[in-house]
Amino acid sequence: MERENQLDRFDASVSNFGNTMMQTTECFNSLNELTGNLVSAANNYIDLQRDMHKMDVQFNAYVATLDAELERHKGNLPVVERQLNQINQMMDKVLDKVLSMDANTDKEMDMKMKYMETLQTFTDKIATMMIKLL
């Protein structure tokens, strides 16, 4: 009977060892899955850092391009300013001439009004162009 008892204990020990091995295998499988997830997360982090660096480089290139465009337009500002001053002086002369016109008849009054409308249209177009430039 003692021998049977020893065999039963041995069978129980083997069974416990088998269960322990199955649990150890499940633990290793879980660790393997966890390791895979960690590697995937690390790779995603590296990809994210690379993409952020790429976007940073592209942004800096864009800023440099805009700075170059700004410098190019800064050089044009004195020319544009002189041209606008000349246009303004000519428009002042035309306005003075139109205002000094005699408008005794209806025909002369219509002509004076047409000149004023043309001058106003031209002024509006210049203002629109300046808004677009700014």
Side-chain angles (χ1 to χ4, degrees), residues 73-88:
H73 288 298
K74 279 183 182 178
N76 294 336
L77 285 177
V79 174
V80 171
E81 184 178 10
R82 280 194 308 271
Q83 292 295 323
L84 286 174
N85 285 337
Q86 287 178 352
I87 290 171
N88 190 33

Side-chain angles (χ1 to χ4, degrees), residues 119-132:
L119 193 58
Q120 180 63 43
T121 302
F122 186 71
T123 304
D124 291 345
K125 286 182 181 182
I126 293 291
T128 302
M129 182 181 66
M130 288 307 299
I131 289 171
K132 287 180 182 179

Side-chain angles (χ1 to χ4, degrees), residues 107-124:
K107 188 175 181 180
E108 289 174 344
M109 182 58 85
D110 287 342
M111 183 62 76
K112 189 173 183 177
M113 292 307 293
K114 284 182 184 179
Y115 285 140
M116 293 292 284
E117 288 173 10
T118 302
L119 193 58
Q120 180 63 43
T121 302
F122 186 71
T123 304
D124 291 345

Side-chain angles (χ1 to χ4, degrees), residues 10-28:
F10 182 74
D11 284 342
S13 293
V14 169
S15 178
N16 284 341
F17 180 75
N19 288 338
T20 303
M21 289 304 291
M22 283 182 15
Q23 289 176 352
T24 304
T25 302
E26 288 177 16
C27 182
F28 282 134

Side-chain angles (χ1 to χ4, degrees), residues 30-111:
S30 296
L31 284 174
N32 188 28
E33 186 178 334
L34 178 64
T35 304
N37 289 340
L38 288 175
V39 168
S40 177
N43 286 337
N44 288 339
Y45 179 73
I46 290 169
D47 289 344
L48 180 64
Q49 281 185 322
R50 184 189 66 236
D51 290 344
M52 287 176 59
H53 178 69
K54 180 180 173 184
M55 288 172 55
D56 191 41
V57 168
Q58 288 173 340
F59 178 74
N60 288 338
Y62 182 68
V63 167
T65 302
L66 289 179
D67 284 344
E69 285 290 316
L70 181 63
E71 287 301 319
R72 185 173 66 86
H73 288 298
K74 279 183 182 178
N76 294 336
L77 285 177
V79 174
V80 171
E81 184 178 10
R82 280 194 308 271
Q83 292 295 323
L84 286 174
N85 285 337
Q86 287 178 352
I87 290 171
N88 190 33
Q89 289 171 359
M90 287 189 278
M91 288 176 56
D92 286 344
K93 287 179 184 178
V94 169
L95 181 60
D96 289 342
K97 185 73 171 175
V98 169
L99 291 175
S100 68
M101 289 174 60
D102 290 332
N104 296 331
T105 65
D106 287 341
K107 188 175 181 180
E108 289 174 344
M109 182 58 85
D110 287 342
M111 183 62 76

